[in-house]
Amino acid sequence: MNPSDTKNPPGPIGDIDLGVMAQDQLGFLQKMVQEYGDITRHTVDGKPVTIVNDPDLVWEVLVSRREHYVKSGTPDEFMLVPLLGRGLLTTDGQEWGTQRALANPSFQHQNVVPFDDLMVAETDKTIDRWVAQMAPQRLDRDLTALTLTIVARSVLGSEVAIGDRFGEAVDDANRFMSHYNQANNANPSDKQSFINARSFIDQIVNLLIEVTKFDPTGREDLLARLVTARSPERPDGFSAEELRDQVVTILMAGHETTAKGLTWTLWLLCQHPEILDDARQEVDRVLQGAPPDASNLENLPLIRAIFNESLRLYPPVWIISRNATKADTLGGYDIPADSLVCISPWLLHRHPQHWTNPGEFNPQRFLTQEEPHPCAFLPFSAGPRKCIGQHFALLESVLVLARVLQRVDIALDPGHLVEAEALVTLRPRHGVLANLSPRSTP
């Protein structure tokens, strides 16, 4: 295309107030595409921000021309680096490629399947606590504690790191990152809590790394695999700092998104009792009262479809940002160098041209309809940077859901408001409150 044929994407005139936008980020995104179309432009502090909501153009950004659109210089980088360092989520180019090549084997399907017993055992502990309580429980908090325990034990291979203090440190770090900005205008007490939390997490992680490096033999945890990982480009494997960054990245990213996906799924099922009944019938028919394991995954297609449909409506990763390395064009529109390009799974998953009745909770669409455009459904992103933990997350989510539906009756607290809040992840603003009891009909 001739450069003279390009133009700026449509959008509002003048700067958008970041504080006002932050009060309802999802509403802002929806308003932009409704008023201006599938590629829009607004400015924040004088810097152009392009929102891309066309799956074909998203494919260009994330896959076919990904070298022009990087994570460096994005809000994701500014927000995540203080805790995660330079791991898989925050690096680019050759550095990222080398890290990914070293880490990939540890997350292949056959290497995460052995954790199925651990996932179910920890779920049973959570369920036992639920049914012992007489008062409503915060599903979101309990599922976060569950997924943190599962990923920490799977990665670290030790229960030393699992406990109230470790969970509190993770909560403090998450709270700080959720409200982090590049100007670092955080509340001093929150900032100090974050510093303390990072220090505590680092102490635990570094201790377990050193223990594992001393004798990694005979262990199946992911940390042992990362310690012994080698490649032709890196015959010595990860450095000590890289190991720390990878482990903390896996711990944080590996529990938060899965917990939110499970929370939204159970909330949606409680509002659709006919789908809940169908799911339980599938679980009962397949499992025959036995605990689920990895061999059951292919025989629980409705459970998998329900989780996919939940990820479609409430994607935990609701925004993906990239920085344009040079001037470019997308869909005939000008993309300035060093400008932000944003992709929102929240918008793409509701695109009326790619989803029938997009606002409806309908898991059958993942069983009967044609596969969507590869960039119309992005719960784990797309292209080479697709989430390395996808197999782990899907295994964990299906097993947890199957076990919960098998053992527990859930009734949402009718007076508790549930609404989506877009922070680091898409979470219920006030949590999800529910009464849980042993299932009345096994």
Side-chain angles (χ1 to χ4, degrees):
M1 178 177 292
N2 190 315
S4 63
D5 296 333
T6 62
K7 56 183 179 179
N8 289 332
I13 298 173
D15 256 11
I16 299 295
D17 187 299
L18 200 57
V20 173
M21 186 196 308
Q23 294 175 14
D24 184 10
Q25 300 196 76
L26 300 178
F28 172 78
L29 290 172
Q30 290 174 315
K31 182 177 179 181
M32 287 291 290
V33 298
Q34 287 168 0
E35 293 188 8
Y36 301 106
D38 279 343
I39 182 164
T40 72
R41 169 77 50 77
H42 63 280
T43 62
V44 176
D45 294 332
K47 185 171 182 176
V49 180
T50 303
I51 299 172
V52 178
N53 195 45
D54 180 318
D56 288 331
L57 299 181
V58 170
W59 179 266
E60 292 188 34
V61 173
L62 297 181
V63 184
S64 64
R65 296 160 64 195
R66 62 187 181 275
E67 67 275 8
H68 299 319
Y69 299 95
V70 300
K71 280 204 168 185
S72 299
T74 65
D76 287 353
E77 181 192 34
F78 301 140
M79 178 175 58
L80 297 175
V81 165
L83 177 64
L84 305 187
R86 293 293 176 182
L88 283 169
L89 280 179
T90 52
T91 52
D92 275 308
Q94 184 176 352
E95 180 184 5
W96 172 84
T98 299
Q99 291 185 15
R100 181 82 179 213
L102 282 171
N104 259 335
S106 300
F107 292 91
Q108 291 173 353
H109 180 71
Q110 67 270 21
N111 286 331
V112 301
V113 162
F115 297 118
D116 59 349
D117 287 344
L118 165 64
M119 293 170 178
V120 175
E122 292 299 335
T123 303
D124 278 338
K125 292 178 185 178
T126 297
I127 292 172
D128 290 343
R129 288 193 294 271
W130 279 344
V131 299
Q133 301 294 323
M134 301 298 293
Q137 303 297 302
R138 278 282 298 268
L139 281 184
D140 55 309
R141 288 178 180 169
D142 291 344
L143 290 169
T144 298
L146 170 61
T147 57
L148 175 60
T149 299
I150 289 172
V151 74
R153 288 193 59 193
S154 302
V155 173
L156 300 176
S158 170
E159 295 195 49
V160 173
I162 312 306
D164 291 342
R165 180 66 190 95
F166 192 82
E168 289 169 5
V170 169
D171 284 345
D172 287 343
N174 264 333
R175 188 179 307 110
F176 178 82
M177 290 196 301
S178 293
H179 298 93
Y180 180 81
N181 60 68
Q182 192 178 1
N184 203 14
N185 295 322
N187 180 293
S189 63
D190 288 345
K191 186 174 181 180
Q192 187 58 52
S193 294
F194 170 78
I195 292 171
N196 295 341
R198 174 177 167 132
S199 175
F200 181 81
I201 292 170
D202 283 354
Q203 287 177 40
I204 295 293
V205 168
N206 289 329
L207 171 64
L208 291 174
I209 286 173
E210 290 306 311
V211 170
T212 305
K213 288 169 71 174
F214 181 75
D215 184 14
T217 57
R219 291 175 45 171
E220 294 185 351
D221 56 273
L222 297 177
L223 176 56
R225 292 197 181 103
L226 291 173
V227 164
T228 57
R230 300 292 185 270
S231 72
E233 295 79 15
R234 293 288 294 276
D236 295 328
F238 286 115
S239 68
E241 184 177 0
E242 286 174 331
L243 270 174
R244 178 266 171 210
D245 292 349
Q246 302 307 337
V247 170
V248 175
T249 295
I250 295 165
L251 285 174
M252 299 302 291
H255 87 277
E256 172 75 3
T257 52
T258 305
K260 297 305 171 284
L262 288 168
T263 300
W264 289 117
T265 302
L266 291 176
W267 178 71
L268 285 164
L269 282 174
C270 287
Q271 297 176 85
H272 296 84
E274 70 290 350
I275 299 176
L276 176 58
D277 286 344
D278 289 343
R280 280 186 163 151
Q281 288 178 29
E282 179 180 83
V283 167
D284 292 345
R285 183 179 66 255
V286 171
L287 300 181
Q288 297 292 309
D293 60 37
S295 68
N296 301 128
L297 255 63
E298 295 303 319
N299 299 319
L300 295 169
L302 180 57
I303 300 299
R304 296 173 65 189
I306 285 169
F307 189 63
N308 277 336
E309 179 70 342
S310 174
L311 293 180
R312 185 187 69 81
L313 283 173
Y314 293 93
V317 179
W318 60 277
I319 193 76
I320 299 168
S321 61
R322 295 288 186 266
N323 194 45
T325 59
K326 64 178 183 179
D328 197 9
T329 61
L330 283 174
Y333 291 106
D334 172 61
I335 306 295
D338 194 30
S339 70
L340 203 62
V341 175
C342 291
I343 296 160
S344 173
W346 169 272
L347 294 177
L348 287 162
H349 294 182
R350 287 170 163 75
H351 201 301
Q353 293 180 18
H354 296 273
W355 301 97
T356 304
N357 299 321
E360 176 185 341
F361 179 61
N362 176 21
Q364 289 295 323
R365 73 175 80 241
F366 284 96
L367 298 174
T368 60
Q369 296 179 11
E370 292 184 5
E371 289 252 345
H373 186 293
C375 283
F377 184 56
L378 289 175
F380 299 101
S381 192
R385 294 198 75 124
K386 193 170 188 177
C387 176
I388 195 172
Q390 178 180 359
H391 294 306
F392 188 101
L394 290 176
L395 173 67
E396 178 184 12
S397 299
V398 171
L399 293 179
V400 170
L401 283 174
R403 194 57 166 164
V404 169
L405 296 183
Q406 189 181 38
R407 290 192 56 195
V408 177
D409 283 329
I410 305 174
L412 296 176
D413 187 307
H416 187 75
L417 175 66
V418 175
E419 57 181 350
E421 180 181 29
L423 295 175
V424 176
T425 54
L426 188 66
R427 58 178 64 191
R429 187 186 301 272
H430 309 291
V432 175
L433 201 62
N435 289 286
L436 302 113
S437 57
R439 187 175 165 195
S440 53
T441 53

